[in-house]
Amino acid sequence: MSEKQFTLQEKIVFNGVGLHTGESVVMEIHPAAENYGYKFQRLDIDGQPIIKADADLVVSTERGTTLESNGAKVYTTEHVLAALYGMEIDNALITLTGPEIPIMDGSSLPFVKEIQRVGRTEQKANRLFLELTENIKWEDEERGIEFLAVPDKNYRLTVMVDYNSPALGTQHAHMYHLGEFEKDIASCRTFCFLKELEFLAKNDLIKGGSLDNAIVLVERNDVTEEELDRLAKLLGKDKLKVNYDGIGVLNSLKLQFENEPARHKLLDIVGDLALVGRFIKGHILAARPGHSGNTRFAKVLKEEIKKQDKKGRIFDLNKEPVYNINDIERMLPHRYPFLLVDKVMELTENTIIGVKNVTMNEPMFQGHFPGNPVFPGVFQIEACAQCGGIFALSRVEDPHLYSTYFMKIDGVKFKQKVMPGDTLVFALELISPIRRGLVNMLGKAYVNGTQVFEAEMLAQVIKDRVEA
C-alpha cells in the first residue's frame, strides 16, 4: 500500500436505483482534499447535510449498512466504500440525490471501472494506518460470528461462510493484499436465498432488486414448478428456472467464481471496515460475517486506534524545517517576546506542524507561578494561532502585507501542564475550505507525543499594509 494519500483526478457520475428503496438516484463521487476521508452528502434534503463514513454513525445493518448524521440517512454504503478503499482512494465526497447508493449490477465493479477510467491523484499528506501490533479477537457467540485480527504488513482478509445447507455447504474466500481486490473481488455480486426471496418481495424490501443485480441461491434440490411460477408472478417474470450447474442459481445466471457468494462477503467486509477511517495493516479472519458483525468489529478497531493514539504521536523534529525562525519573522508581524513559533516542520494543503521550545528565559515565568513555572494556557492558544496564521499566510502573495485576526475560539481543552524545557509541537488541520479569508482549523499540541491542548479556531486574513 502507498504511504501517501490519494484522491480522484476528476468526479465520476452514476445513475441507478437503490436496491431496497427502489428510488432513482444520481450519485457523484468528487475529489476531496487531504485528510478528508469519505463523506456522503444528501443533495435532496434541505441544508444538504453531510454524513461521515464512520462506524459510530451506523444505525442499521438490515440488508446493508445504513449511516445517519445531521438528520439524514444513507443506505447500502458498503459497495461504493469497498470500491474506494479497494482502489486505495483516501479522500472522496459522495453526493446523492436520494437516500440510497445505486445498486448497479450488485457488485463494486461499475465503481471500480470508473475510478480506473479517471485515475488517481497522489496527495502530499502521508496516509494514516492502523498497524496492528497484537492479536484482536471479537465474537458474537449467539450468532456464531467470529473475527480475529493479527499483525501483518499487508491488508489481508480470510473469510469463511456457512449457509447451514447441504446444497451449498461451507465456502471460503481470501485476499492476500489490497491489490487483489480489483481482479478477484470487485465483480462479485450481492446475493440472497430462494427461501428469502418471497418474503423480501412481499414486504417491499427489494424494490430495486432484479435478477440482473443480485444472485438468488437455491439452497434446496426439490424446488417445484409451482413454487417457481408463484415467484415469477411476484417478480413480474414470465418464467423462472433453476440452474443446478454446481451451486443452484435462479434463472440462467452463472456464477463468476464457484465461491462468488463468499467473495462478496469479503467485499462487504472491505466496505464496512472502511468505516474504521484508516487503511489497515493486518490480517482479518472472519467466520460467518455479515454487516452487523462487520460494523461492530469496525468499532473494536476504532478503539484500538484510540488506544494506540494515547500512547503518543511521533513527530520527526530532526529533519530540515519548512520555515525557520527567519522565514517566520518575514511572514508574521510578531517579535520577541511575543513570537511564539520557532520553526515549521511540515506544511500541506490542509495541515501544518509547528514547534515552540519553552525555556526558563522567557519573561512570563518571572510572574507566572514563580517557583513552580507553568507555560500559560493563553500562550499555548496564541502559539497555536500563530501556526494557523503561518498556514494562512503561506497561501497569499506578499504575506508580510497581511495580518490574521481571531474571530472565534471553541472547544479549548488543556490536558496536561507544559513546563520550561518542554518542546511543544502544534498540529493543525483545516476544518473547511478557506473562503473570504476565513480560516477554520482544529489545533492540537503535543509534548513528547502526548496531547496537552486542543482548540478549534476561526481567524480572518486581512491585507492591512502596503509596501513602503
Side-chain angles (χ1 to χ4, degrees), residues 225-375:
E225 286 295 325
E226 183 182 349
E227 288 179 82
L228 293 175
D229 289 343
R230 187 176 68 249
L231 283 171
K233 185 176 180 180
L234 191 61
L235 298 172
K237 298 287 184 181
D238 293 332
K239 192 72 175 174
L240 293 177
K241 65 178 182 177
V242 179
N243 176 9
Y244 282 113
D245 183 14
I247 293 177
V249 179
L250 200 61
N251 267 18
S252 58
L253 187 72
K254 289 188 177 180
L255 297 179
Q256 301 171 88
F257 306 95
E258 187 176 346
N259 66 339
E260 185 171 354
R263 293 188 190 213
H264 185 81
K265 285 289 189 181
L266 193 153
L267 183 156
D268 283 343
I269 291 175
V270 174
D272 286 335
L273 292 192
L275 300 173
V276 170
R278 292 191 186 180
F279 279 84
I280 298 168
K281 289 185 178 180
H283 183 182
I284 311 293
L285 299 97
R288 293 167 290 278
H291 295 298
S292 174
N294 299 347
T295 55
R296 284 187 286 163
F297 188 63
K299 293 179 182 180
V300 172
L301 295 181
K302 281 195 68 179
E303 288 301 313
E304 175 64 16
I305 290 173
K306 291 178 184 178
K307 187 173 77 171
Q308 290 186 10
D309 286 349
K310 284 182 179 179
K311 291 181 179 178
R313 182 171 171 185
I314 306 302
F315 299 93
D316 182 4
L317 302 185
N318 294 316
K319 63 183 179 180
E320 188 72 20
V322 177
Y323 296 134
N324 60 32
I325 190 63
N326 296 316
D327 301 320
I328 292 170
E329 283 193 333
R330 285 190 286 269
M331 298 180 74
L332 295 181
H334 306 82
R335 293 296 180 267
Y336 176 84
F338 213 67
L339 179 55
L340 300 175
V341 183
D342 296 322
K343 56 185 177 179
V344 171
M345 303 306 299
E346 187 176 302
L347 184 65
T348 73
E349 285 296 312
N350 293 284
T351 62
I352 185 170
I353 294 175
V355 175
K356 159 67 179 169
N357 295 301
V358 181
T359 76
M360 191 61 187
N361 297 322
E362 297 182 61
M364 80 278 295
F365 291 123
Q366 295 177 28
H368 199 260
F369 301 166
N372 182 25
V374 176
F375 190 62

Side-chain angles (χ1 to χ4, degrees), residues 396-412:
V396 300
E397 292 185 19
D398 302 320
H400 60 287
L401 302 180
Y402 289 76
S403 295
T404 56
Y405 296 97
F406 264 133
M407 298 189 70
K408 186 171 67 171
I409 308 172
D410 281 330
V412 178

Side-chain angles (χ1 to χ4, degrees), residues 34 43 77 147 270 303 339 346 462:
E34 296 167 350
L43 302 182
T77 58
F147 275 86
V270 174
E303 288 301 313
L339 179 55
E346 187 176 302
I462 298 175

Side-chain angles (χ1 to χ4, degrees), residues 134-206:
E134 59 185 10
N135 293 352
I136 300 174
K137 183 181 179 181
W138 177 87
E139 62 183 329
D140 181 333
E141 293 185 10
E142 186 177 337
R143 299 186 183 185
I145 306 168
E146 298 178 72
F147 275 86
L148 176 65
V150 301
D152 197 291
K153 65 179 181 180
N154 296 312
Y155 182 37
R156 182 176 175 183
L157 286 170
T158 301
V159 175
M160 185 277 285
V161 290
D162 182 2
Y163 302 112
N164 295 316
S165 164
L168 300 177
T170 299
Q171 286 193 350
H172 298 81
H174 64 263
M175 181 180 76
Y176 286 107
H177 54 81
L178 208 50
E180 294 183 344
F181 178 84
E182 173 194 338
K183 177 175 177 289
D184 297 332
I185 306 300
S187 65
C188 296
R189 296 156 293 183
T190 193
F191 64 92
C192 69
F193 297 104
L194 185 67
K195 64 184 178 183
E196 301 175 294
L197 191 58
E198 186 170 359
F199 172 82
L200 293 171
K202 283 183 175 179
N203 288 275
D204 286 333
L205 295 175
I206 49 171

